[in-house]
Amino acid sequence: MLARTVRGTGALLLRGLNILIPVLDRIRYVQSLKEIVINVPEQSAVTLDNVTLQIDGVLYLRIMDPYKASYGVEDPEYAVTQLAQTTMRSELGKLSLDKVFRERESLNASIVDAINQAADCWGIRCLRYEIKDIHVPPRVKESMQMQVEAERRKRATVLESEGTRESAINVAEGKKQAQILASEAEKAEQINQAAGEASAVLAKAKAKAEAIRILAAALTQHNGDAAASLTVAEQYVSAFSKLAKDSNTVLLPSNPGDVTSMVAQAMGVYGALTKAPVPRAQDSVSSGNSRDVQGTDASLDEELDRVKLS
């Protein structure tokens, strides 16, 4: 869409049927109402930390009022371009070099706002502004690369130290858990071993008690004494055959070949023990301990003499 202004009267001609008076009226300005793209030339700007940059950009604008664009300014595109350059230098002077690269969007928005405030009286509206390229000096570029490399080395060192720390923590935690599990396993083993030993002792005691009960019952039956004599004789022969096998110290009776006398002596000791009186109170046992022992020894000697004479 084109808008034309007539020289002389200053009338604005829009699309459609327009009547002009010859000689008096003629078309002086032709303005396009489409969006216009303008390349902003490269220019130098100094940042807040005194670094000189070379920056260029692209400006997008549209004529909103053709009459103001025709009579408010001589060359609207040139005026907007110069305004964009000066605004960009002013905005870059407020930022450091690092923030220029991080805040390009906010920088573009600030330039657009500044242009719209100044170009309102020209009938022009800036739609957006984009920075194309930012060129830094070679030395500054080398410094930035060195800074980036140093930052990367720092991050690598930090990550490596964190990895070492995590590895040490994991190893220590693993050793701790291993020690805990080992102690628990040892504790459970000791508990099971103690329970097994207790069960074995109890089973042996029960078996021994049952054997004693059966032996006592057998001794009370007919020919029980004869069976006991036979068992003592067998054990004597078995023990005599094992003499001097386990150690060099041997204890022999006065007549080792007389099995009958040894059996008779053992049965006499057994009979003396079974006929010995049992004390009824603990105090009597403690007070007359020596007298009972002497009496028992005397009775045993008499019984042994009687067995020998028989």
Side-chain angles (χ1 to χ4, degrees), residues 17-198:
L17 181 61
N18 296 280
I19 300 174
L20 299 178
I21 300 174
V23 181
L24 297 178
D25 297 331
R26 70 185 182 91
I27 298 175
R28 181 67 181 83
Y29 299 100
V30 178
Q31 304 291 346
S32 177
L33 301 182
K34 296 180 180 179
E35 186 174 350
I36 302 172
V37 180
I38 301 175
N39 288 323
V40 179
E42 185 178 3
Q43 61 176 343
S44 62
V46 181
T47 61
L48 183 62
D49 49 357
N50 297 325
V51 178
T52 303
L53 302 178
Q54 299 293 330
I55 298 180
D56 56 357
V58 181
L59 186 64
Y60 299 87
L61 54 86
R62 175 178 292 174
I63 296 176
M64 308 302 293
D65 190 345
Y67 183 81
K68 291 182 180 181
S70 300
Y71 295 100
V73 64
E74 181 67 24
D75 189 349
E77 294 183 2
Y78 177 77
V80 172
T81 302
Q82 295 299 317
L83 181 60
Q85 288 180 340
T86 56
T87 305
M88 183 168 55
R89 283 195 295 267
S90 176
E91 293 295 331
L92 284 176
K94 301 176 182 178
L95 300 175
S96 61
L97 180 60
D98 296 334
K99 290 185 178 180
V100 169
F101 294 98
R102 292 198 302 263
E103 300 181 3
R104 293 182 66 170
E105 294 183 358
S106 61
L107 181 61
N108 294 334
S110 300
I111 293 174
V112 170
D113 294 337
I115 292 174
N116 287 330
Q117 291 178 4
D120 187 36
C121 59
W122 299 340
I124 299 174
R125 181 174 181 79
C126 180
L127 300 179
R128 59 188 179 275
Y129 178 84
E130 297 292 339
I131 297 176
K132 292 174 62 177
D133 296 320
I134 300 177
H135 302 283
V136 297
R139 292 185 178 179
V140 177
K141 188 175 182 180
E142 292 177 359
S143 300
M144 293 174 64
Q145 290 178 353
M146 293 175 62
Q147 182 180 0
V148 171
E149 292 178 359
E151 186 67 25
R152 289 179 179 176
R153 287 195 298 268
K154 176 183 176 182
R155 292 180 181 177
T157 305
V158 171
L159 291 177
E160 184 178 0
S161 63
E162 290 181 354
T164 304
R165 182 173 64 87
E166 292 293 334
S167 177
I169 292 174
N170 292 334
V171 171
E173 188 68 24
K175 291 182 179 179
K176 176 182 176 182
Q177 294 295 331
Q179 292 178 357
I180 292 174
L181 293 177
S183 63
E184 291 180 355
E186 185 178 359
K187 177 182 177 182
E189 182 181 1
Q190 293 178 357
I191 293 174
N192 294 332
Q193 185 177 1
E197 291 178 356

Side-chain angles (χ1 to χ4, degrees), residues 197-213:
E197 291 178 356
S199 300
V201 171
L202 182 61
K204 289 180 180 179
K206 290 182 178 180
K208 190 173 182 180
E210 183 67 20
I212 292 173
R213 185 182 64 79

